[in-house]
Amino acid sequence: MATELAARISALSPVRWPSQSIAGAAVLLLAVGFSQVIGATAAVLAPLWLLGMLAGFALQRSRFCFASAFRDLFLFGQSRILNGILMGLLITTLGFALIMYQQVPFPQFGALPAEAHILPVGLSTVIGGVLFGVGMVLAGGCSSGSLYRVGEGYVASGVAVLGMVLGLGLLAYQWNWWWETLVRHEPKIWLAEALPGGYGAAVALTLAGLLAVFIAGLWWETRNGLFMPSVSKEAGDAPDGLGARLAALWRRVFAEGWSPVVGGAVLGVTGLLMYLAYQPFGVTGELSRWAQHATTSLNVGPGVLRGLDSIGGCAARSDEGGVFTATFAITVGLVVGALVAALFAGEFKLRFPRQRRRYAQALLGGLAMGYASGLAIGCTIGAFFSAIPSLAVSGWVFGGSLAGGAWLGVKILQRIP
Amino acid sequence: MELDVRGEVCPYPMMKAVEAMKRLQGAEEVVVVTDHAPCLQTIPPQAPRHGYEVGIEQTGTPEWRITLSPKAGVVKAPS
């Protein structure tokens, strides 16, 4: 059966290098096996590892990219990936509300759901968002984007991740200044508490906001005369019989790219399950932990960072000890999931940019992203994709600032050939 | 003309493709050679705006040739 399936797949595809699929199957088996190893540390880590893998798989398959979602609005007038993000946010907003309601049924009394990403909102959010937006456009991908591209074999994305770790490390030394100057004075505004209508009003307002962004994106695309033209491709045979239908299904999931809306939906469900199992989706915490481990093991650590335990979000997880933690499971699992997806699709390749300046762009962009995500307590995932469904005002402010930063980044990028 | 953008990531392949279409104004075909899958989604929508049609051919794993050919009837001489 398996060989027949493989034969049918290779018959459908013009070029097929099955070695990548075999490697993909091997990595998948090893990674699923590893979930048992990591699960021995704490049971919750096994499902989190698999969810991280699923997130990476979905990101790779749908070529999801927060950087391009914001950047392409300004560069090409395209809102395609933005719609994927909106789909993910629609699912997580409804799901997060249910989870938060279980924890805090009466939001008006001032208690916040402990794990939700309700972050301080103020000037630090704006500075962080703008700086992050510039960085992700320069580096060619945000934090989750650079991580999953590492799994696909993009060497420059690895440089961007290194830059992020350095940037997070750098911020740690200056954190106490930011804390005293800005962050400690900034309120955590939770819509469910702030609005008289509680959860109902907060969810309705969030959904209305998402709808407004969707319509604005559509208007912007129409204004720019953009639509997906019909593309001539070699057409495969219409599926006939169980084997062929399975092969066609296989191709749709593993070989052809998913639409961003499908990717956003899978990512949304994944984020929701992560919250159910542990905490909302975030990747900055793990990178920040690497930075912290590096500096403290060299005995040049930044010392006590004030206020972090009162903030929550990605910051609260960065001081977890040991190697196998929840953030490790999610962040490293994401890279492995993207590797599996890229191998099955025959899209894995070690890619070295030809121009040396691309490495500098990746490093500088990564540095900016790292510093900014330390300041804003999260990246496009933690401070945006997990913050808006937490019904936090900070998510919207960070998102708007990201768009501003992306616009600025585009202006810079257009000057770099 | 052939644009070999292998090794380049978003948004450079699209920027270069759009630049080429703008410069050539339908006088010549543009072939983009890329190993960056997102281009398959981002370059096609740009083509009609510049009077081009799109064809995609997979030539490797991963490698694609995106052929942007001038639409009949809108061919303009480069100014």
Side-chain angles (χ1 to χ4, degrees):
Chain A
M1 185 62 218
T3 50
E4 190 201 346
L5 192 65
R8 280 174 187 273
I9 293 162
S10 60
L12 274 172
S13 165
V15 181
R16 193 77 201 172
W17 298 29
S19 57
Q20 281 214 14
S21 301
I22 294 165
V27 175
L28 181 61
L29 272 177
L30 282 174
V32 171
F34 182 70
S35 70
Q36 298 308 302
V37 177
I38 197 171
T41 306
V44 72
L45 297 185
L48 283 180
W49 168 262
L50 295 174
L51 285 172
M53 282 182 66
L54 182 61
F57 193 90
L59 285 166
Q60 199 283 336
R61 291 292 60 227
S62 55
R63 290 125 192 190
F64 214 75
C65 182
F66 288 90
S68 74
F70 288 101
R71 178 194 63 214
D72 293 353
L73 280 176
F74 304 113
L75 204 51
F76 301 112
Q78 204 169 17
S79 70
R80 217 177 54 91
I81 298 187
L82 190 66
N83 293 342
I85 295 176
L86 293 174
M87 173 52 94
L89 286 174
L90 172 70
I91 293 170
T92 45
T93 298
L94 297 172
F96 275 37
L98 291 173
I99 299 173
M100 291 190 292
Y101 176 74
Q102 301 285 321
Q103 295 178 355
V104 183
F106 304 103
Q108 64 273 31
F109 298 131
L112 297 179
E115 316 292 1
H117 284 200
I118 304 156
L119 304 169
V121 56
L123 194 56
S124 72
T125 322
V126 175
I127 298 173
V130 171
L131 188 61
F132 195 97
V134 173
M136 72 183 181
V137 171
L138 269 188
C142 68
S143 39
S144 64
S146 299
L147 281 166
Y148 90 76
R149 286 203 179 136
V150 168
E152 294 181 281
Y154 288 89
V155 175
S157 298
V159 175
V161 172
L162 177 72
M164 275 201 74
V165 175
L166 293 176
L168 280 159
L170 182 65
L171 175 97
Y173 292 100
Q174 296 166 351
W175 167 259
N176 287 345
W177 183 84
W178 286 109
W179 169 253
E180 296 297 341
T181 315
L182 289 178
V183 185
R184 69 175 298 174
H185 310 292
E186 294 169 349
K188 293 176 170 182
I189 306 177
W190 188 36
L191 288 174
E193 182 196 356
L195 297 176
Y199 281 106
V203 170
L205 187 66
T206 303
L207 295 184
L210 297 178
L211 183 67
V213 174
F214 172 72
I215 290 172
L218 206 60
W219 167 78
W220 181 248
E221 243 187 20
T222 315
R223 210 191 76 141
N224 286 288
L226 266 190
F227 58 94
M228 189 74 180
S230 60
V231 177
S232 61
K233 273 189 208 166
E234 276 183 54
D237 296 325
D240 178 27
L242 180 64
R245 287 174 74 173
L246 276 175
L249 188 66
W250 174 275
R251 275 187 62 78
R252 270 180 46 201
V253 176
F254 291 99
E256 292 160 9
W258 301 354
S259 83
V261 171
V262 173
V266 174
L267 212 58
V269 171
T270 312
L272 197 57
L273 291 173
M274 283 176 188
Y275 190 4
L276 268 178
Y278 182 65
Q279 281 185 342
F281 191 12
V283 295
T284 304
E286 179 67 8
L287 301 182
S288 169
R289 216 164 62 91
W290 294 351
Q292 214 158 316
H293 276 232
T295 50
T296 43
S297 66
L298 291 170
N299 253 329
V300 291
V304 177
L305 305 184
R306 268 168 258 156
L308 278 194
D309 42 354
S310 70
I311 286 180
C314 288
R317 309 172 202 165
S318 61
D319 55 352
E320 288 173 349
V323 177
F324 296 154
T325 60
T327 56
F328 174 92
I330 290 171
T331 307
V332 179
L334 188 154
V335 178
V336 175
L339 170 65
V340 170
L343 286 171
F344 275 122
E347 288 179 10
F348 180 82
K349 180 186 169 191
L350 277 180
R351 298 164 176 88
F352 298 89
R354 289 180 199 167
Q355 289 117 313
R356 285 223 189 102
R357 60 176 169 271
R358 295 284 182 266
Y359 292 105
Q361 268 174 261
L363 189 67
L364 282 176
L367 261 174
M369 285 194 286
Y371 196 90
S373 57
L375 179 58
I377 313 147
C379 59
T380 35
I381 302 284
F384 173 68
F385 195 71
S386 293
I388 285 182
S390 297
L391 306 176
V393 172
S394 64
W396 289 96
V397 175
F398 190 71
S401 310
L402 276 176
W407 177 82
L408 204 61
V410 165
K411 295 286 150 209
I412 300 170
L413 197 78
Q414 282 168 334
R415 281 154 212 259
I416 312 172
Chain B
M1 67 175 289
E2 188 173 297
L3 270 178
D4 185 353
V5 290
R6 283 176 292 180
E8 287 276 38
V9 300
C10 290
Y12 283 103
M14 294 88 87
M15 276 166 75
K16 289 178 177 172
V18 167
E19 220 170 80
M21 286 190 288
K22 269 187 188 160
R23 201 175 56 239
L24 293 169
Q25 298 218 336
E28 207 185 306
E29 193 177 81
V30 181
V31 178
V32 185
V33 183
T34 180
D35 55 12
H36 189 54
C39 295
L40 309 181
Q41 299 294 327
T42 48
I43 292 180
Q46 302 299 326
R49 300 170 83 189
H50 302 280
Y52 280 80
E53 277 170 349
V54 198
I56 297 175
E57 187 194 352
Q58 186 165 9
T59 50
T61 45
E63 203 177 293
W64 296 269
R65 285 173 75 85
I66 303 173
T67 310
L68 303 162
S69 36
K71 232 183 247 171
V74 290
V75 178
K76 286 179 274 179
S79 44

